[in-house]
Amino acid sequence: TEQQLLDRFEARIDDGAFVEPKDWMPDHYRRTLVRQISQHAHSEIVGMLPEGNWITRAPTLKRKAILLAKVQDEGGHGLYLYAAAETLGVSRDELIDQLHAGKAKYSSIFNYPTLSWADVGVIGWLVDGAAIMNQVPLCRCSYAPYARAMIRICREESFHQRQGYDALLVMMRDGTPRQRDMVQDAVNRWWWPSLMMFGPPDEASNHSEQSMRWGIKRISNDDLRQKFVDATVQQAKVLGVSLPDPELRWNEAREHFDFGPIDWDEFWRVVGGDGPCNRERLADRAQAWDEGAWVREAALAHAAKSTTQRKA
Ligand code: 3HC
């Protein structure tokens, strides 16, 4: 019966087994993974836009080459993740249509503008730093194709974070006072949205319980957020920037940093489509899709021609 199948499935998950595409899985498990993997893929692709904004204006050829490599990596991460989602029986076109129609979510963080070159370093340090914190546990996600994609992605993410932090160190150590102010201004704008990347508080998270039961989410939103704050406060000290939270202080009893309240109204407003750049991001993606149609058509025509030649 369905219940016996579910019991056996959950027993396998409890034993630390991984689920492959051909294995039996509850519909809810499949739907949860399609939801999460597709949103993750959309995040990678939309995430190329804020950073790509600075490729033509990077201050040196070295920084331009690094940023080009990073943005290209994000595109690749999107492709791995769309491919992982396809193993669950959805088509990539269907997922991309949902994104362009404004029906799909992607990480709220990419709806903020990149106003200066320092934003590129701060995104590498804080946004990729938060992404790594969230993606390392996903390397042990019970759905094997997702976990395998994560292992490859995490290796490249650590380069993304290191290049960002390095760029900021150069600006803070060798930069002019104006460049140092530029870094501090970017930190002030990206700190709270980076904390929101981990999702709503555990008690407001409607998926966490089931996702943790099924080994999709290995660490809760709040625990990962706390881990990120604890690690980042020290890095900010080395960098010589302050974090825009007057309540941030070490709590000896908890052995963690206490931090101030997050503006969840802002979070839900941005998630709901009303952030600073939501409309611009979707318009850019839809335009890129339309302008790239000829490449897809040419690739399909070439594939069809070479198949015919092989058959002849
Ligand atoms: N932005 C947008 N939506 C968010 C969000 C965020 N930061 N955090 C949560 N949400 C949404 C959830 O999708 C869910 O909505 P839905 O039911 O319509 O899908 C709702 O808020 C409730 O949140 P939950 O915590 O209950 O949802 P999840 O269990 O899915 O947890 C998550 C949210 C921790 C983001 C989880 O989905 C996850 O780990 N996703 C995969 C990793 C990911 O997407 N990371 C951020 C992308 S950054 C990136 O990868 C680019 C990097 O290279 C720079």
Side-chain angles (χ1 to χ4, degrees):
T1 63
E2 186 79 6
Q3 189 53 47
Q4 284 168 326
L5 283 168
L6 180 61
D7 293 344
R8 200 173 318 140
F9 174 82
E10 294 196 331
R12 287 188 65 225
I13 297 280
D14 293 343
D15 287 347
F18 286 86
V19 180
E20 291 293 346
K22 294 221 178 334
D23 295 341
W24 183 87
M25 62 185 86
D27 276 350
H28 184 176
Y29 181 87
R30 183 186 300 277
R31 278 199 313 278
T32 295
L33 282 154
V34 169
R35 175 184 65 81
Q36 179 163 331
I37 299 173
S38 59
Q39 288 170 2
H40 198 161
H42 296 328
S43 302
E44 299 282 2
I45 300 299
V46 174
M48 296 167 77
L49 295 169
E51 306 170 321
N53 181 27
W54 283 88
I55 288 176
T56 55
R57 294 179 285 168
T60 65
L61 189 56
K62 172 187 158 194
R63 293 291 171 197
K64 185 197 285 273
I66 290 172
L67 184 53
L68 263 174
K70 176 178 190 309
V71 171
Q72 187 180 332
D73 280 350
E74 312 287 17
H77 296 173
L79 298 188
Y80 303 147
L81 289 165
Y82 285 127
E86 284 171 324
T87 65
L88 290 157
V90 290
S91 83
R92 190 173 308 199
D93 284 357
E94 185 187 339
L95 297 177
I96 290 174
D97 286 350
Q98 286 165 7
L99 175 67
H100 295 167
K103 288 200 206 103
K105 285 193 171 72
Y106 56 88
S107 192
S108 48
I109 192 72
F110 296 122
N111 290 309
Y112 291 85
T114 44
L115 303 179
S116 81
W117 169 253
D119 286 45
V120 174
V122 169
I123 286 174
W125 173 37
L126 295 182
V127 174
D128 290 277
I132 291 172
M133 209 57 99
N134 159 284
Q135 288 171 165
V136 166
L138 286 170
C139 295
R140 289 181 292 113
C141 171
S142 59
Y143 188 57
Y146 192 26
R148 287 192 287 266
M150 279 296 106
I151 291 165
R152 167 81 182 265
I153 286 174
C154 284
R155 277 200 209 105
E156 293 172 345
E157 289 292 4
S158 41
F159 145 64
H160 298 173
Q161 184 189 28
R162 211 168 30 253
Q163 64 79 32
Y165 194 70
D166 170 62
L168 297 178
L169 270 178
V170 167
M171 291 180 81
M172 291 305 287
R173 289 186 172 157
D174 311 335
T176 62
R178 199 162 151 267
Q179 285 165 334
R180 291 161 60 84
D181 291 348
M182 200 192 280
V183 173
Q184 184 60 63
D185 168 60
V187 172
N188 294 345
R189 287 182 284 107
W190 287 94
W191 173 247
W192 292 106
S194 297
L195 297 192
M196 296 176 195
M197 283 175 70
F198 294 95
D202 293 345
E203 63 278 4
S205 160
N206 56 323
H207 297 302
S208 285
E209 191 188 341
Q210 186 61 70
S211 287
M212 293 190 84
R213 172 74 194 79
W214 279 340
I216 297 168
K217 185 177 282 188
R218 296 289 188 189
I219 307 175
S220 82
N221 298 0
D222 286 329
D223 288 351
L224 269 185
R225 194 180 350 259
Q226 181 66 67
K227 207 160 164 259
F228 174 71
V229 171
D230 292 347
T232 310
V233 171
Q234 316 292 354
Q235 294 164 355
K237 275 202 186 78
V238 170
L239 204 48
V241 294
S242 66
L243 295 172
D245 178 359
E247 296 179 42
L248 189 64
R249 70 175 59 79
W250 179 252
N251 180 321
E252 193 51 42
R254 284 194 332 119
E255 293 195 327
H256 289 294
F257 278 91
D258 291 338
F259 54 93
I262 292 174
D263 180 350
W264 293 112
D265 292 342
E266 176 183 334
F267 171 77
W268 290 115
R269 201 172 51 249
V270 176
V271 171
D274 195 19
C277 302
N278 295 56
R279 274 172 283 285
E280 182 188 334
R281 298 288 183 241
L282 287 190
D284 287 352
R285 281 308 316 145
Q287 185 189 343
W289 180 258
D290 296 343
E291 288 174 355
W294 69 273
V295 177
R296 295 191 295 278
E297 285 149 22
L300 289 171
H302 176 70
K305 203 161 59 173
S306 37
T307 318
T308 331
Q309 276 157 357
R310 261 202 306 278
K311 279 192 186 133

